[in-house]
């Protein structure tokens, strides 16, 4: 990791094409590769589900940006998570996960992988005693083999101490997985803090333009990496060439985009505090956020995501969510355009009625890279209209 982040983002895995000198790695939109004799491959390329040069370039870029030895890219964040869990665990193993993980992650583990014999318990990851107790308790049939955390978490923006969790995981012989989607590798590198595996929904900040779905698993452990590579090939939830190409294109500008996301978000969070319609602003860049000091230690900046609780309850939250015009009402996050989300009915509808349910007066903003004045004016008119 001798070069700076932005240099790696632009150049890692992006050598000019060997045949033509094309400066940008081409979109190898092909499902198979000609053989020069039976089993005589050119540069190892055989079949698209196995390997593709466009996907390889993205995987090299992702590994370089997390400071890792291995990266695997998938068709979605959840496909990446599924492959990781199937590769790392076996039936009867137990996962301890944050009680505010992404709703789709909880659904995957609790509704799909439970049928494969994986049990789970959800705890407050910022409470280290609770984590230790849940890890020690294990599952009904087996030991805790994995700890899963998101920091900052979605949508409550809780910050968890990655290095402390890594110690708990090491003591228990479990694998610590950090979902680094919200921070992106520009703001936080969990492997350097002691985590074993990083997962990303590259659909979000890494792709950055809301035009490609994808996911990634990034790690150093070669033995586990081989297992993940096998599941990736054997199951085939790989990123398609076009998606990989778009994601690489987006990832090159992650640093410059993220600087702007963070700058806009900090201003908006401070401005929201001045509004009487606002009960609470959840943004780690605010000094009174409970995770502020920890975030300042383990992240480079505070990110582009803000959650807001409104004094007017559910009705006010719904009203604001539907009234913005520059902020588009949509699921997802991390794109150049600002997005508005009402988690209780949108991104977190899958955890409604469970312990992971989110407050009904909460809206979540993914702050884009537009001009700050336009974003503030848009939020002001939406709040005025409650
Ligand atoms: C979106 C998201 C996922 C799932 O990724 P997909 O690409 O939608 O499958 C996982 N974790 C977090 C934090 C997310 O925001």
């Amino acid at each position: 990791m001798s070069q700076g982040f932005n240099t790696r983002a632009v150049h890692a895995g992006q050598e000019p094409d060997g045949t033509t000198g094309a400066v940008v790695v081409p979109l190898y939109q092909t499902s198979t590769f000609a053989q020069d004799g039976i089993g005589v491959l050119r540069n190892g390329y055989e079949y698209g589900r196995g390997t593709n040069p466009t996907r390889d370039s993205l995987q090299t870029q992702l590994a370089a940006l997390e400071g890792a030895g291995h990266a695997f890219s998938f068709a979605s964040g959840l496909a990446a998570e599924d492959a990781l869990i199937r590769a790392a665990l076996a039936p009867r193993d137990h996962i301890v996960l944050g009680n505010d993980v992404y709703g789709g992650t909880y659904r995957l583990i609790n509704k799909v992988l439970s049928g494969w014999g994986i049990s789970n318990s959800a705890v407050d990851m910022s409470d280290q005693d609770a984590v230790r107790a849940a890890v020690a308790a294990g599952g009904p049939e087996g030991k805790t083999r994995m700890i899963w955390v998101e920091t900052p978490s979605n949508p409550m923006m809780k910050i968890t101490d990655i290095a402390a969790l890594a110690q708990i995981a090491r003591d228990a012989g479990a694998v610590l997985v950090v979902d680094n989607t919200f921070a992106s590798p520009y703001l936080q590198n969990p492997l350097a803090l002691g985590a074993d595996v990083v997962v990303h929904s590259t659909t979000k900040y890494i792709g950055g333009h809301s035009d490609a779905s994808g996911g990634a698993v990034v790690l150093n452990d070669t033995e586990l990496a081989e297992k993940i590579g096998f599941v990736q090939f054997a199951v085939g939830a790989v990123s398609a060439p076009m998606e990989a190409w778009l994601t690489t294109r987006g990832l090159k500008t992650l640093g410059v985009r993220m600087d702007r996301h963070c700058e806009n978000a900090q201003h908006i969070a401070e401005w929201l505090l001045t509004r009487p319609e606002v009960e609470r602003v959840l943004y780690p860049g605010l000094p009174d956020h409970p995770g502020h000091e920890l975030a300042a230690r383990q992240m480079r900046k505070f990110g582009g995501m803000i959650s807001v609780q409104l004094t007017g309850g559910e009705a006010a939250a719904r009203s604001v969510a539907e009234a913005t015009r520059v902020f588009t009402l949509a699921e997802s996050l991390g794109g150049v355009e600002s997005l508005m989300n009402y988690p209780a009915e949108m991104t977190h509808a899958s955890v409604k009625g469970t312990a992971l349910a989110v407050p009904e007066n909460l809206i979540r903003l993914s702050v884009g890279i537009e001009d700050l004045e336009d974003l503030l004016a848009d939020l002001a008119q939406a709040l005025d209209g409650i």
Side-chain angles (χ1 to χ4, degrees):
M1 260 222 269
S2 49
Q3 291 181 318
F5 185 91
N6 292 297
T7 307
R8 279 178 279 142
V10 172
H11 292 290
Q14 311 305 314
E15 289 74 30
D17 183 57
T19 311
T20 63
V23 166
V24 173
V25 174
L27 168 56
Y28 286 92
Q29 187 68 45
T30 186
S31 63
T32 191
F33 299 86
Q35 305 192 4
D36 293 325
I38 297 170
V40 182
L41 311 179
R42 297 187 198 168
N43 298 315
Y45 290 105
E46 185 173 17
Y47 185 60
R49 172 162 40 73
T51 47
N52 174 290
T54 311
R55 189 166 88 240
D56 284 353
S57 87
L58 170 60
Q59 294 183 155
T60 303
Q61 188 188 24
L62 286 165
L65 294 182
E66 286 288 9
H70 311 276
F72 300 89
S73 87
F74 290 86
S76 71
L78 288 176
E81 296 180 10
D82 182 60
L84 164 63
I85 294 169
R86 287 181 198 275
L89 303 186
R92 290 194 282 280
D93 286 346
H94 185 72
I95 303 179
V96 171
L97 74 170
N99 61 4
D100 55 356
V101 295
Y102 177 71
T105 298
Y106 185 65
R107 182 175 53 201
L108 171 69
I109 292 172
N110 198 47
K111 293 229 166 100
V112 179
L113 292 165
S114 58
W116 191 57
I118 300 287
S119 61
N120 74 80
S121 46
V123 300
D124 178 352
M125 283 287 161
S126 60
D127 180 348
Q128 288 174 26
D129 293 336
V131 177
R132 274 187 202 281
V135 168
E141 294 184 277
K143 282 191 171 177
T144 300
R145 298 281 182 205
M146 184 175 276
I147 302 177
W148 190 291
V149 67
E150 257 173 62
T151 178
S153 71
N154 175 20
M156 299 311 286
M157 306 303 296
K158 219 185 297 167
I159 306 293
T160 298
D161 189 334
I162 295 173
L165 276 192
Q167 188 58 52
I168 295 175
R170 265 195 304 276
D171 292 348
V175 171
L176 175 62
V177 180
V178 177
D179 182 336
N180 204 26
T181 299
F182 263 43
S184 90
Y186 183 61
L187 299 183
Q188 176 171 275
N189 297 119
L191 299 179
L193 296 165
D196 299 293
V197 185
V198 170
V199 297
H200 282 286
S201 169
T202 63
T203 313
K204 316 294 168 55
Y205 285 106
I206 285 181
H209 295 74
S210 306
D211 56 8
S213 287
V217 180
V218 190
L219 72 168
N220 280 315
D221 181 333
T222 299
E223 201 179 313
L224 180 54
E226 275 169 16
K227 291 183 187 167
I228 295 165
F230 178 75
V231 173
Q232 186 193 41
F233 172 66
V235 178
V238 293
S239 35
M242 182 71 180
E243 267 43 43
W245 189 86
L246 284 167
T247 304
T248 283
R249 179 190 163 106
L251 184 46
K252 289 176 188 175
T253 57
L254 176 64
V256 287
R257 284 187 281 112
M258 202 45 122
D259 282 340
R260 176 63 163 253
H261 287 297
C262 294
E263 191 185 316
N264 277 351
Q266 183 75 39
H267 279 109
I268 289 172
E270 288 168 11
W271 176 85
L272 284 166
L273 287 176
T274 68
R275 293 288 308 207
E277 303 87 349
V278 170
E279 178 185 284
R280 198 151 78 111
V281 180
L282 307 175
Y283 183 66
L286 296 174
D288 68 347
H289 185 285
H292 177 68
E293 275 167 32
L294 177 57
R297 269 207 315 278
Q298 73 182 14
M299 299 173 71
R300 290 183 193 91
K301 294 183 179 183
F302 300 105
M305 299 299 300
I306 305 174
S307 289
V308 187
Q309 289 181 267
L310 298 167
T311 49
E314 176 179 355
R318 284 176 176 272
S319 161
V320 171
E322 291 181 343
T324 52
R325 295 192 276 261
V326 182
F327 281 83
T328 301
L329 183 63
E331 308 229 353
S332 201
L333 61 110
V336 291
E337 62 287 295
S338 292
L339 296 182
M340 169 67 70
N341 172 36
Y342 182 62
E345 292 283 348
M346 293 170 63
T347 48
H348 288 63
S350 64
V351 291
K352 208 175 176 176
T354 74
L356 280 75
V358 297
E360 291 188 327
N361 69 340
L362 183 117
I363 55 173
R364 191 191 75 185
L365 317 182
S366 174
V367 177
I369 65 167
E370 300 95 332
D371 291 297
L372 178 64
E373 301 68 36
D374 296 326
L375 297 177
L376 291 175
D378 189 36
L379 291 171
Q381 65 82 23
L383 290 168
D384 287 344
I386 290 175

Coordinates of all heavy atoms in Angstrom, one line a residue, residues 75-79 81 102 105 150 154 179 181-182 200-204 213-215 332-333 364, ligand 1:
A75 N -22.8 -10.4 -8.1 CA -23.9 -9.7 -8.8 C -24.6 -8.7 -7.8 O -25.3 -7.8 -8.3 CB -24.9 -10.7 -9.3
S76 N -24.5 -8.9 -6.5 CA -25.1 -8.0 -5.6 C -24.4 -8.1 -4.2 O -23.7 -9.1 -4.0 CB -26.6 -8.3 -5.4 OG -26.8 -9.5 -4.7
G77 N -24.7 -7.2 -3.4 CA -24.1 -7.2 -2.0 C -24.6 -8.5 -1.3 O -23.8 -9.2 -0.7
L78 N -25.9 -8.8 -1.5 CA -26.4 -10.0 -0.8 C -25.8 -11.3 -1.3 O -25.6 -12.3 -0.6 CB -27.9 -10.0 -0.8 CG -28.5 -8.9 0.1 CD1 -30.1 -8.9 0.0 CD2 -28.2 -9.2 1.6
A79 N -25.6 -11.3 -2.7 CA -25.0 -12.5 -3.3 C -23.6 -12.7 -2.7 O -23.1 -13.8 -2.4 CB -24.9 -12.4 -4.8
E81 N -22.6 -11.7 0.3 CA -22.7 -12.1 1.7 C -23.0 -13.6 1.8 O -22.5 -14.4 2.6 CB -23.8 -11.3 2.4 CG -23.5 -9.8 2.5 CD -24.6 -9.0 3.2 OE1 -25.5 -9.6 3.7 OE2 -24.5 -7.8 3.1
Y102 N -28.3 -4.2 8.1 CA -29.1 -4.0 6.9 C -30.2 -5.1 6.9 O -29.9 -6.2 7.1 CB -28.2 -4.1 5.6 CG -29.0 -4.0 4.3 CD1 -29.5 -2.8 3.9 CD2 -29.1 -5.1 3.5 CE1 -30.2 -2.7 2.7 CE2 -29.7 -5.1 2.3 CZ -30.3 -3.9 1.9 OH -30.9 -3.8 0.7
T105 N -29.6 -8.2 5.0 CA -28.6 -9.1 5.6 C -29.3 -10.0 6.6 O -29.1 -11.2 6.7 CB -27.5 -8.3 6.2 OG1 -26.9 -7.5 5.2 CG2 -26.5 -9.2 6.9
E150 N -22.0 -3.8 11.1 CA -22.0 -2.7 10.2 C -21.7 -1.4 11.0 O -22.3 -1.1 12.0 CB -23.4 -2.5 9.7 CG -23.7 -2.9 8.3 CD -25.2 -2.8 8.0 OE1 -25.8 -1.7 8.0 OE2 -25.8 -3.9 7.8
N154 N -27.0 1.1 9.7 CA -28.1 1.6 8.8 C -29.4 1.2 9.4 O -29.7 0.1 9.5 CB -27.9 0.9 7.4 CG -28.9 1.1 6.4 OD1 -29.6 2.1 6.5 ND2 -29.0 0.3 5.5
D179 N -19.4 -5.1 7.4 CA -20.0 -4.5 6.2 C -19.6 -3.1 6.1 O -20.1 -2.2 6.8 CB -21.5 -4.7 6.3 CG -22.3 -4.2 5.1 OD1 -21.8 -3.4 4.3 OD2 -23.4 -4.7 4.9
T181 N -20.1 -0.9 3.6 CA -20.8 -0.2 2.5 C -21.0 1.3 2.8 O -20.8 2.1 2.0 CB -22.2 -0.9 2.4 OG1 -22.0 -2.2 2.0 CG2 -23.0 -0.2 1.3
F182 N -21.4 1.6 4.1 CA -21.7 3.0 4.4 C -20.4 3.9 4.4 O -20.5 5.0 4.0 CB -22.3 3.1 5.8 CG -23.8 3.2 5.7 CD1 -24.5 2.4 4.9 CD2 -24.5 4.1 6.5 CE1 -25.9 2.4 4.8 CE2 -25.9 4.1 6.4 CZ -26.6 3.3 5.6
H200 N -19.0 -5.5 0.9 CA -19.5 -4.3 0.3 C -20.7 -4.6 -0.5 O -20.7 -5.5 -1.3 CB -18.5 -3.5 -0.6 CG -17.4 -2.8 0.1 ND1 -17.6 -1.6 0.8 CD2 -16.1 -3.1 0.3 CE1 -16.5 -1.2 1.3 NE2 -15.5 -2.1 1.0
S201 N -21.7 -3.7 -0.5 CA -22.6 -3.6 -1.6 C -22.0 -2.5 -2.5 O -22.0 -1.3 -2.2 CB -24.0 -3.1 -1.1 OG -24.8 -2.8 -2.2
T202 N -21.4 -2.9 -3.6 CA -20.8 -2.0 -4.5 C -21.8 -1.2 -5.3 O -21.5 -0.2 -6.0 CB -19.8 -2.7 -5.5 OG1 -20.6 -3.5 -6.3 CG2 -18.7 -3.4 -4.8
T203 N -23.1 -1.6 -5.1 CA -24.2 -0.9 -5.7 C -24.2 0.6 -5.2 O -24.8 1.5 -5.8 CB -25.5 -1.5 -5.2 OG1 -25.4 -3.0 -5.4 CG2 -26.7 -1.0 -5.9
K204 N -23.6 0.8 -4.0 CA -23.7 2.1 -3.3 C -22.6 3.0 -3.6 O -22.4 3.4 -4.8 CB -23.9 1.8 -1.8 CG -24.9 0.7 -1.4 CD -26.3 1.0 -1.8 CE -27.2 -0.3 -1.7 NZ -27.2 -1.0 -0.4
S213 N -25.6 -2.8 -10.1 CA -25.7 -3.6 -8.8 C -24.4 -4.4 -8.7 O -23.9 -4.9 -9.7 CB -26.9 -4.5 -8.8 OG -28.1 -3.8 -8.7
G214 N -24.0 -4.6 -7.5 CA -22.9 -5.5 -7.3 C -22.5 -5.6 -5.8 O -23.0 -4.9 -4.9
G215 N -21.7 -6.6 -5.5 CA -21.2 -6.8 -4.1 C -19.8 -7.3 -4.2 O -19.3 -7.7 -5.2
S332 N -31.9 2.6 -1.8 CA -30.4 2.7 -2.1 C -29.8 4.0 -1.6 O -30.5 4.8 -1.0 CB -30.2 2.5 -3.6 OG -28.9 2.1 -3.8
L333 N -28.5 4.1 -1.9 CA -27.7 5.2 -1.3 C -26.4 5.3 -2.0 O -26.1 4.4 -2.8 CB -27.5 5.0 0.2 CG -26.7 3.7 0.5 CD1 -25.3 4.0 1.1 CD2 -27.5 2.9 1.6
R364 N -34.2 8.9 6.2 CA -32.7 8.8 5.9 C -32.3 9.5 4.7 O -33.0 9.3 3.6 CB -32.4 7.3 5.8 CG -30.9 7.0 5.8 CD -30.6 5.5 5.5 NE -30.8 5.3 4.0 CZ -30.7 4.1 3.4 NH1 -30.5 3.0 4.1 NH2 -30.8 4.0 2.1
Ligands
LIG1 C1 -27.6 -2.3 0.1 C2 -26.9 -2.9 1.2 C3 -26.6 -4.3 1.2 C4 -27.1 -5.2 0.1 O1 -26.5 -5.0 -1.1 P1 -27.3 -5.2 -2.5 O2 -26.3 -4.8 -3.5 O3 -28.6 -4.5 -2.5 O4 -27.6 -6.7 -2.5 C5 -25.8 -4.8 2.3 N1 -25.4 -3.9 3.3 C6 -25.7 -2.6 3.3 C7 -25.2 -1.8 4.4 C8 -26.4 -2.1 2.2 O5 -26.7 -0.7 2.3

